[in-house]
């Protein structure tokens, strides 16, 4: 078994000087030489990187019904996702661009009323496109960042037998600051080679603060209209893989003449999907099955481990924005469906055959959808879907650093959801989905 080893970056500066030999006691003492200034080595922060993030979100919603008084609703919860970016370095100054998708669990009921109606607010996801400016100090780099954030939120009333609400997407600004730190966990543990050293080798760890501000949006449901805006303060950490922090590996192994697929990667993908929800009315027993389709796009990151030159095992995660829509007919009338977010975490196994890497995968997937009874206007804007996901695909290496991919994924729900659009339409729902993706990834080693 051949092990591919990640190594740490080690920098050392030394200063050597000598002393003069005194030839005779009556010679005058020599003055010490003027110290020679040696400029510090500039650490390389340029190039592509990809990472996963997790944090906590504190959101202040301000909502107003009609001409009523504005009410402030404070919510908090978890947030996490993935991002990719690219840095340019000019001396010690680093500038770059970064894009990412985060899923939010920032929700809750407000029992106090706004003009007599209980209000539920839920931040669903964020897409951020940011510029960054940093100054590197060798192994760490503080930075500031700013750009645009796209958010979708759900506002609703939660009466006992009725759920009415509306989803709205809005675009605002995001600013923040943080620090990226280069670490080598394997080196700290004294691991020089082997599987664990490969898994834990050089990473960048990030801690940052973000502030998002979203403009006022109008949510109309249940015969009422709300005007709502929000500000969020987010504290999060990230683990990043970056090109240049690992020792270079030959693209083609000299001994076996095989392409080296080991190591971390990150990329973007796009494609389409088909989701088939099936509902069973709990009052009448009637079943409804309807088909939906649409586009999706997002980010994926992962790591490959190669054994015996050809056999690959790896782990990969992705987060995607989707726009998969369709209509069906439940016992009370027509219903529309839209899936708007999807994420997964999968194990992969494959066989590296030159520039080709066919693979199979299996893991867990998570999605969210909205459904509307088009007769009554009742809407559920946040239906969570958990699923088992299996798939197969092919990665093809087009250069030393870039690969392209095509793959198919199938999801089947692992639990039924209760869908209560109104008091005559309470149903259990199960979901299956088929997705086709193409993508391109950058390999960091």
């Amino acid at each position: 078994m051949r092990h591919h080893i990640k190594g740490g970056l080690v920098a050392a500066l030394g200063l050597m000087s000598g002393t003069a030999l005194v030839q005779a006691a009556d010679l005058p003492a020599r003055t010490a030489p003027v110290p020679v200034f040696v400029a510090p080595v500039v650490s390389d922060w340029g190039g592509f990187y990809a990472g996963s993030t997790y944090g906590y979100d504190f959101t202040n919603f301000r909502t107003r019904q009609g001409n009523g008084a504005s009410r402030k609703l404070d919510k908090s919860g978890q947030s996490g996702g993935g991002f990719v970016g690219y840095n340019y370095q000019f001396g010690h100054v680093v500038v770059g661009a970064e894009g990412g998708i985060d899923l939010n669990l920032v929700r809750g009921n407000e029992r106090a009323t706004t003009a007599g109606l209980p209000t539920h607010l839920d931040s669903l996801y964020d897409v951020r496109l940011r510029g960054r400016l940093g100054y590197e100090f060798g192994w760490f780099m503080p930075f500031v960042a700013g750009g645009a954030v796209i958010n979708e939120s759900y506002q609703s009333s939660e009466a006992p037998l009725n759920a009415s609400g509306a989803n709205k997407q809005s675009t605002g600004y995001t600013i923040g600051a943080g620090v990226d730190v280069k670490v080598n966990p394997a080196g700290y543990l004294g691991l020089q080679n082997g599987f664990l050293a490969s898994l834990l080798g050089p990473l960048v760890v990030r801690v940052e603060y973000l502030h998002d501000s979203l403009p006022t949006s109008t949510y109309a449901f249940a015969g009422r209209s709300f005007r709502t805006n929000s500000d969020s303060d987010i504290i999060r950490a990230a683990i990043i893989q970056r090109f240049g922090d690992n020792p270079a590996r030959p693209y083609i192994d000299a001994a076996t003449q095989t392409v080296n697929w080991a190591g971390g990667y990150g990329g973007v993908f796009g494609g389409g999907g088909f989701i088939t929800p099936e509902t069973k009315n709990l009052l009448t027993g009637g079943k409804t099955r309807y088909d939906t389709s649409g586009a999706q796009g997002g980010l994926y990151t992962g790591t490959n481990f190669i054994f015996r030159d050809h056999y690959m095992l790896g782990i990969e995660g992705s987060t995607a924005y989707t726009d998969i829509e369709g209509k069906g007919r439940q016992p009370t009338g027509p219903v529309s469906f839209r899936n708007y977010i999807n994420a997964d975490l999968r194990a992969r196994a494959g066989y590296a055959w030159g520039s080709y890497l066919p693979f199979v995968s299996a893991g867990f997937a998570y999605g969210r959808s909205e459904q509307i009874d088009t007769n009554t206007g009742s809407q559920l804007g946040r239906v969570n879907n958990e699923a088992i996901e299996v798939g197969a695909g092919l990665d093809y290496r087009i250069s030393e650093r870039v690969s392209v991919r095509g793959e198919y994924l199938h999801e089947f729900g692992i639990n039924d959801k209760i869908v209560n659009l109104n008091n005559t339409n309470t149903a259990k729902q199960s979901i299956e989905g088929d997705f086709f993706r193409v993508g391109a990834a950058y390999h960091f080693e």
Side-chain angles (χ1 to χ4, degrees):
M1 178 176 69
R2 186 184 66 184
H3 297 282
H4 298 284
I5 305 169
K6 295 183 180 176
L9 291 181
V10 179
L13 294 176
L15 183 62
M16 301 180 64
S17 62
T19 58
L21 296 176
V22 179
Q23 301 293 328
D26 57 347
L27 290 178
R30 298 180 60 183
T31 59
V34 178
V36 177
F37 173 75
V38 179
V41 175
V42 177
S43 180
D44 178 19
W45 287 85
F48 283 102
Y49 61 90
S52 300
T53 183
Y54 176 81
Y56 210 77
D57 186 317
F58 302 87
T59 296
N60 299 319
F61 295 98
R62 290 171 296 276
T63 185
R64 178 196 304 267
Q65 182 183 338
N67 295 322
S70 176
R71 186 171 188 84
K72 184 178 178 181
L73 310 175
D74 295 333
K75 305 297 177 187
S76 62
Q78 303 170 71
S79 179
F83 58 89
V84 296
Y86 189 88
N87 288 331
Y88 296 91
Q89 183 162 341
F90 306 93
H92 291 276
V93 177
V94 179
V95 296
E98 184 176 291
I101 305 174
D102 289 308
L103 300 182
N104 301 327
L105 296 175
V106 183
R107 62 178 67 135
N109 290 317
E110 179 58 52
R111 296 306 179 189
T113 61
T114 301
L117 183 66
T119 301
H120 175 100
L121 281 159
D122 189 348
S123 176
L124 302 171
Y125 66 85
D126 297 303
V127 177
R128 293 184 182 86
L129 302 173
R130 309 190 297 166
R132 296 203 310 150
L133 174 64
Y135 191 90
E136 65 88 11
F137 292 91
W139 54 273
F140 72 99
M141 181 185 72
F143 65 88
V144 294
V149 57
I150 302 170
N151 170 272
E152 186 162 344
S153 292
Y154 174 54
Q155 186 166 356
S156 64
S157 62
E158 297 285 340
L161 294 176
N162 188 50
S164 297
N167 280 34
K168 282 294 180 180
Q169 190 180 89
S170 57
T171 302
Y173 70 84
T174 178
I175 57 175
V179 60
D180 286 353
V181 181
K182 293 183 177 181
V183 298
N184 184 4
Y188 302 153
L189 295 174
L191 302 173
Q192 303 303 319
N193 52 53
F195 176 82
L196 192 58
S198 179
L199 181 64
L200 296 178
L203 300 169
V204 174
V205 175
R206 172 183 297 179
V207 179
E208 67 177 326
Y209 161 78
L210 295 87
H211 177 80
D212 295 347
S213 182
L214 296 169
T216 299
S217 295
T218 299
Y219 296 77
F221 57 92
R224 296 172 173 86
S225 179
F226 292 84
R227 291 178 58 77
T228 303
N229 61 5
S230 68
D231 289 284
S232 299
D233 296 291
I234 303 152
I235 300 172
R236 68 182 190 177
I239 295 177
I240 301 169
Q241 294 189 77
R242 209 188 68 83
F243 169 64
D245 289 342
N246 298 292
R249 292 174 173 169
Y251 173 43
I252 304 293
D253 187 279
T256 63
Q257 291 300 301
T258 58
V259 174
N260 190 345
W261 282 93
Y265 58 89
V268 298
F269 69 88
F274 303 88
I275 294 178
T276 307
E278 181 176 274
T279 59
K280 179 180 179 180
N281 191 281
L282 298 181
L283 300 177
T284 67
K287 290 185 178 181
T288 303
R289 181 182 175 95
Y290 48 103
D291 297 326
T292 67
S293 61
Q296 62 171 328
L299 311 172
Y300 66 101
T301 61
T303 300
N304 293 331
F305 302 97
I306 300 296
F307 305 92
R308 297 186 180 274
D309 300 325
H310 297 284
Y311 297 97
M312 183 275 292
L313 293 176
I315 186 168
E316 182 176 295
S318 72
T319 307
Y321 172 76
T322 67
D323 190 20
I324 299 176
E325 300 180 284
K327 293 183 178 181
R329 188 172 186 85
Q330 294 186 6
T332 57
V335 176
S336 68
F337 173 95
R338 178 177 74 104
N339 179 275
Y340 53 79
I341 202 75
N342 224 67
D344 62 28
L345 180 64
R346 300 175 290 151
R348 298 201 313 151
Y351 185 84
W353 181 42
S355 296
Y356 298 89
L357 179 61
F359 63 88
V360 294
S361 63
F364 296 95
Y366 174 81
R368 286 184 182 152
S369 62
E370 83 177 12
Q371 297 177 49
I372 304 173
D373 186 317
T374 55
N375 280 342
T376 65
S378 294
Q379 175 177 340
L380 287 174
R382 174 179 54 81
V383 180
N384 301 323
N385 307 302
E386 296 86 21
I388 293 175
E389 184 178 72
V390 295
L394 176 68
D395 287 345
Y396 177 71
R397 202 71 164 263
I398 62 175
S399 72
E400 181 177 1
R401 295 294 176 192
V402 179
S403 67
V404 294
R405 167 183 297 184
E407 68 177 326
Y408 160 76
L409 297 167
H410 177 74
E411 294 180 3
F412 48 95
I414 57 178
N415 58 343
D416 293 338
K417 295 295 181 181
I418 299 295
V419 181
N420 181 19
L421 285 174
N422 55 57
N423 58 0
T424 61
N425 190 19
T426 302
K428 273 192 174 182
Q429 174 182 273
S430 60
I431 284 183
E432 290 192 13
D434 296 280
F435 303 92
F436 302 88
R437 297 176 175 179
V438 294
Y442 186 89
H443 293 257
F444 299 110
E445 303 174 50

